Amino acid sequence: MNSTMNVTMLDASRHEGQDVRTRPSAWFVALSSWRSVVLLGIVAWGAWAIAGRTAPARAGVIGAYGILVVVLRVVWAVLDWWSREYTLGEERVRATWGVVRRNSVEMDVARIQHLVVTRSLAERVLGLGTIRVTSAGSDGVGVVWRSVVGVDGLVAKIRERSDGARVAMRAVVIGLAGGIGAGKSKVARAFEALGCLVSDSDAEAKAALELPEVRAQLREWWGEKVFDAESGKVSRRALADVIFADAEARRRLEGLTHPIVRARRDEMVRRATAEGRPGVVVDAPLLFEAGLDKECDVVIFVDAPREIRLERVRRTRGWTEEELDRREKSQISLDEKRQRSDEVIVNDGGMDRLESISRTILEKTRGRIVTGAKGERV
């Protein structure tokens, strides 16, 4: 087999990040025209054979026309082959063809749903294949690359671009951890200024407590002592006294409310992605304790001196130093949280500084996800 019959990808297409351009193998000419050439040959031969018995001169004309038609069919196949170009860019996959009228079909690589490779017997013998790409939400084939060389490599590249584009479109999930009163909400506002949505797990959990099915379960477990006598709402202070004094009670409450909060957070990630926002910030008091760090692309430890944290909780929550200690002892130690986090932000400056640091972390996280970097998260 003559290896020069195969047309491979341009050298420039081999470089990472550049468009991949290819066209069918030159064997496409034979594969696309042999049936019609054989059929035309049979018809011409039959006509020539019949005419040859009665009118030899006419038989010669028929034979000449038959040869001309076959040649024209082969020439058309050559032009068809030359007109075809297949392109894989960072965002789109495209097929272009047409001798007289140019046709082009393309789709976003992020919308690719299926990659199908078919090989006829002739293509298998020649080491070729046809790639069919289907977009999400489509019932038919969107883009077809016929009789190309290096099918496996092309499919791998298309899949890589598709996966990368889908990841690049997804809003990243940023988890915030740190000591009580360290200022996680302030860091969340810095990310919010950059276009991120903020999932306030504390507020979501508070809202979940007022759902009828949750209230009924709390009353069954702990009776009226966890409800405010005047308003009839769940008393968060009374509930806190119960769960911080009993680890099993805390796990029962978490098992009740966390699935509700998680569903709302997942919906927020979907909405952020649909709106083209860069990320969703998970501001959760018990990020590691609840296992939420496993759902995050990056975890940031927000740090602040103990004196500052104590002053904040005294001013905003009315807590004593003993109450702060009691709450923190029921959680994972600050040293372990810091060690398990990917980044540390010391909350001792203004919003401009926090936004600058947050932007750097956000860009680094998105870049790592798109490139598929391995190892530590950030």
Side-chain angles (χ1 to χ4, degrees):
M1 183 184 302
N2 188 352
S3 62
T4 61
M5 290 292 287
N6 290 336
V7 177
T8 57
M9 290 180 290
L10 302 177
D11 290 341
S13 71
R14 301 178 189 280
H15 295 288
E16 188 68 27
Q18 295 186 0
D19 288 354
V20 175
R21 299 180 186 275
T22 188
R23 57 164 35 98
S25 162
W27 284 111
F28 172 85
V29 176
L31 294 174
S32 64
S33 61
W34 74 268
R35 291 183 179 86
S36 56
V37 168
V38 170
L39 180 60
L40 288 170
I42 292 173
V43 172
W45 178 84
W48 175 83
I50 294 172
R53 298 176 182 177
T54 58
R58 184 177 299 176
V61 173
I62 291 175
Y65 273 118
I67 294 173
L68 178 60
V69 171
V70 169
V71 170
L72 290 176
R73 178 65 185 88
V74 173
V75 170
W76 181 265
V78 171
L79 293 175
D80 185 20
W81 164 75
W82 186 255
S83 74
R84 292 177 180 270
E85 183 176 77
Y86 309 138
T87 306
L88 173 63
E90 292 292 336
E91 298 179 353
R92 296 180 183 276
V93 57
R94 179 185 304 110
T96 303
W97 73 97
V99 178
V100 178
R101 179 180 178 180
R102 297 294 288 169
N103 304 284
S104 182
V105 176
E106 64 179 30
M107 71 173 64
D108 293 340
V109 295
R111 290 180 56 81
I112 291 176
Q113 186 177 33
H114 297 296
L115 282 172
V116 180
V117 176
T118 59
R119 290 184 173 94
S120 65
L121 176 60
E123 285 180 327
R124 291 200 300 272
V125 171
L126 297 172
L128 310 177
T130 294
I131 302 173
R132 290 174 169 82
V133 183
T134 305
S135 65
S138 172
D139 294 330
V141 173
V143 177
V144 180
W145 289 10
R146 295 183 58 187
S147 301
V148 291
V149 183
V151 174
D152 293 339
L154 289 171
V155 168
K157 179 62 71 173
I158 294 172
R159 185 172 289 115
E160 175 188 337
R161 293 279 174 94
S162 177
D163 292 343
R166 278 196 291 267
V167 170
M169 291 175 61
R170 177 178 66 80
V172 300
V173 181
I174 303 159
L176 299 182
I180 299 174
K184 295 189 292 295
S185 297
K186 186 177 179 181
V187 174
R189 289 197 301 273
F191 277 102
E192 190 173 27
L194 300 175
C196 296
L197 295 180
V198 177
S199 173
D200 186 340
S201 296
D202 197 40
E204 293 286 352
K206 182 178 180 180
L209 292 177
E210 296 306 321
L211 294 174
E213 60 272 24
V214 174
R215 289 165 53 88
Q217 185 62 71
L218 295 181
R219 183 170 281 108
E220 180 181 334
W221 284 343
W222 299 304
E224 297 299 325
K225 69 178 181 180
V226 294
F227 290 87
D228 183 81
E230 296 182 1
S231 67
K233 295 183 177 181
V234 176
S235 170
R236 299 188 70 204
R237 182 178 294 275
L239 189 60
D241 290 339
V242 171
I243 65 173
F244 281 106
D246 184 349
E248 178 59 28
R250 187 182 69 201
R251 284 191 290 270
R252 291 170 71 183
L253 179 64
E254 291 171 351
L256 179 63
T257 59
H258 283 184
I260 299 171
V261 175
R262 182 177 293 108
R264 292 180 177 178
R265 184 170 57 251
D266 291 344
E267 176 57 33
M268 182 176 288
V269 173
R270 287 191 290 270
R271 179 161 64 89
T273 298
E275 294 176 358
R277 294 178 179 270
V280 170
V281 178
V282 180
D283 183 3
L286 302 174
L287 188 83
F288 289 110
E289 289 84 349
L292 299 182
D293 59 305
K294 298 179 179 65
E295 301 177 16
C296 299
D297 297 302
V298 62
V299 175
I300 300 171
F301 182 82
V302 182
D303 204 0
R306 175 178 169 78
E307 295 75 17
I308 294 178
R309 295 192 296 107
L310 179 58
E311 190 277 329
R312 285 174 180 165
V313 297
R314 277 174 172 166
R315 184 181 68 254
T316 61
R317 309 183 193 186
W319 290 3
T320 63
E321 183 173 3
E322 290 74 18
E323 180 66 12
L324 175 62
D325 290 339
R326 185 175 73 90
R327 299 266 184 157
E328 289 195 331
K329 286 179 181 178
S330 68
Q331 301 178 12
I332 296 174
S333 70
L334 296 183
D335 287 340
E336 183 176 349
K337 287 183 179 181
R338 186 184 291 106
Q339 184 178 7
R340 291 172 60 178
S341 298
D342 305 297
E343 297 280 351
V344 175
I345 292 180
V346 180
N347 185 16
D348 59 357
M351 284 299 295
D352 289 343
R353 176 177 175 274
L354 280 181
E355 286 183 23
S356 177
I357 297 173
S358 300
R359 182 180 290 104
T360 299
I361 294 174
L362 184 59
E363 291 175 353
K364 188 195 316 185
T365 304
R366 291 186 65 83
R368 176 190 57 77
I369 293 174
V370 170
T371 58
K374 304 298 182 181
E376 295 183 0
R377 286 183 293 201
V378 175

